[in-house]
Amino acid sequence: IDEEDLELRMDYLRQFRHAQMLHIARGGIEGTLPLMRVSDQLTWTAEAIIQVALREAAAQMQRRHGVVRDSEGEVVPMGVVGYGKLGGIELGYQSDLDIVFVRPDGPMHDSDGAKPLGCEQYFVRLAQRFVHMMSTMTAAGRLYELDMRLRPHGQKGPLVTSLSAYRSYLLQQAWTWEHQALVRARWIAASSSASESLECAFVQLREEALAQVREEASLREQVASMRERMRRAHAQSNPALFNLKHDAGGIVDIEFMVHYAVLRHAAEHHVLLDFPDNVRLLERLAALAIWPESQCRALTEAYIFFRETQQRAALQNINATVAATAELVQHRTQVRALWERLF
């Protein structure tokens, strides 16, 4: 496709996503793809699209403004970090993408194109072009809704964060819930192939922030307090219905318990930082004997059951509040009991 025909290139990306979603949904419905594989496939599809869209955005910037180079003449990349379901390799059919844009530190020159830009402005423009590629509605639909509120200082913060500013925020200013979110953060893509050092620096920063020694009672209180605030914000009063994500004994309770365990024990067990997804983290917690194997198995079974139910609801385009069946109540009761025991 002509590189100048941006609209057609955007439509082709959307058609690619529609085709992949159809293949994945068929596998999920027929049972040839279990839940974990469905989430893998949905996540890998999003990753592929992010990589292509970021490359497209970078090529557009280069044609007009050139590239930003460091003091040694190397092209300076911008990276995309995935949070939430994207970072945790747990995307659903209707998931949005939680992302943060990062760039390296150090001296940089203005861009070297026909219409040069200062480095700060350049990376903001690059991020904005990427957002346009991903979220603009065209005749073929929208690729994904993007959520960038998990960047330092939220919506008030800069769109693209330098690594030093990111480090300062995470180690000195971030709330406990932001470190919980960091448990599921993962490197996704970069605008240039010369990004290995930036990726390694992010991985080291994540490990440094998560492996801090924490006071147990304070951590427990902060996690439980934030969870209670979320429950009140999403409360629903019908006892015959159950919100799979937000109600007590649901998905978020399991996620918060896992995040608590990682923040509590990562200082002494760095292997808890190897994976961003809840199921493998529960496997690690059992293998390390931090929690009993029976507890981890019960949480894993409940988590998979809730998410399978959630995926079926998404395919029918209905919300995640469902009738409280006997099997659902059994899982919910177990999760609530484990929550009470922990908090």
Side-chain angles (χ1 to χ4, degrees):
I1 308 169
D2 183 352
E3 64 181 18
E4 297 293 340
D5 194 343
L6 178 60
E7 184 174 351
L8 185 57
R9 297 173 82 85
M10 290 169 65
D11 278 347
Y12 267 53
L13 271 180
R14 285 151 176 75
Q15 291 164 17
F16 169 80
R17 182 185 181 229
H18 294 325
Q20 296 308 308
M21 294 283 278
L22 183 60
H23 284 301
I24 296 164
R26 176 178 175 177
I29 292 168
E30 292 179 343
T32 57
L33 284 178
L35 170 71
M36 300 300 290
R37 292 291 293 168
V38 167
S39 294
D40 286 348
Q41 296 282 356
L42 291 172
T43 303
W44 296 337
T45 298
E47 286 182 18
I49 290 170
I50 288 170
Q51 290 162 6
V52 172
L54 188 57
R55 191 167 66 232
E56 285 286 316
Q60 293 171 37
M61 289 293 293
Q62 184 170 356
R63 286 195 292 273
R64 176 170 293 190
H65 303 291
V67 295
V68 170
R69 298 182 185 275
D70 62 20
S71 57
E72 297 180 355
E74 296 293 329
V75 175
V76 179
M78 182 186 75
V80 175
V81 174
Y83 276 76
K85 293 289 191 255
L86 173 63
I89 321 175
E90 296 174 340
L91 280 186
Y93 293 107
Q94 297 178 343
S95 297
D96 59 6
L97 304 183
D98 295 295
I99 62 172
V100 170
F101 299 110
V102 295
R103 65 167 179 82
D105 296 295
M108 303 176 196
H109 301 289
D110 291 350
S111 67
D112 56 9
K115 296 182 178 180
L117 297 172
C119 60
E120 295 283 353
Q121 186 181 15
Y122 184 92
F123 288 116
V124 169
R125 291 269 192 94
L126 174 56
Q128 289 171 337
R129 283 182 178 268
F130 170 79
V131 171
H132 177 78
M133 290 280 298
M134 295 288 290
S135 59
T136 298
M137 181 69 74
T138 75
R142 178 183 287 110
L143 278 173
Y144 294 95
E145 295 279 359
L146 301 184
D147 189 338
M148 292 160 283
R149 291 175 295 177
L150 284 171
R151 67 186 187 268
H153 305 290
Q155 291 177 317
K156 297 179 181 178
L159 187 58
V160 184
T161 305
S162 70
L163 203 64
S164 61
Y166 201 16
R167 183 178 188 277
S168 175
Y169 183 82
L170 288 175
L171 297 182
Q172 300 175 25
Q173 302 176 60
W175 297 85
T176 296
W177 67 264
E178 291 176 290
H179 284 174
Q180 288 181 241
L182 191 64
V183 170
R184 294 200 291 180
R186 184 170 58 91
W187 183 265
I188 302 296
S191 61
S192 137
S193 58
S195 61
E196 185 176 351
S197 61
L198 180 60
E199 179 179 355
C200 289
F202 164 74
V203 171
Q204 292 171 3
L205 170 57
R206 175 180 177 271
E207 292 179 353
E208 183 180 4
L210 293 179
Q212 297 176 83
V213 177
R214 303 168 199 270
E215 200 279 313
E216 182 176 4
S218 175
L219 175 63
R220 183 185 294 114
E221 190 279 329
Q222 291 170 29
V223 172
S225 175
M226 174 55 70
R227 180 67 189 106
E228 183 57 31
R229 288 174 59 187
M230 291 178 64
R231 275 202 200 106
R232 289 198 300 266
H234 296 91
Q236 58 92 18
S237 57
N238 188 340
L241 298 177
F242 177 61
N243 185 293
L244 294 159
K245 181 176 181 179
H246 292 294
D247 278 353
I251 289 172
V252 176
D253 275 8
I254 299 171
E255 291 174 344
F256 268 51
M257 283 190 275
V258 172
H259 298 164
Y260 166 80
V262 172
L263 295 181
R264 171 70 181 85
H265 297 285
E268 54 186 326
H269 298 292
H270 278 219
V271 292
L272 289 171
L273 305 179
D274 290 346
F275 302 119
D277 62 294
N278 290 292
V279 170
R280 285 190 291 184
L281 285 171
L282 283 165
E283 290 174 355
R284 277 286 162 91
L285 291 169
L288 293 167
I290 292 172
W291 286 351
E293 184 177 349
S294 59
Q295 175 177 335
C296 294
R297 183 169 60 252
L299 290 174
T300 298
E301 290 173 356
Y303 190 69
I304 290 175
F305 176 81
F306 291 153
R307 289 195 55 226
E308 285 177 337
T309 307
Q310 191 179 48
Q311 299 281 48
R312 288 195 297 272
L315 282 175
Q316 298 174 67
N317 202 30
I318 59 178
N319 65 34
T321 300
V322 298
T325 63
E327 186 176 8
L328 190 151
V329 170
Q330 180 182 0
H331 284 302
R332 182 186 186 185
T333 301
Q334 284 187 308
V335 173
R336 294 184 73 171
L338 292 170
W339 176 274
E340 291 299 326
R341 186 185 306 169
L342 190 61
F343 291 104

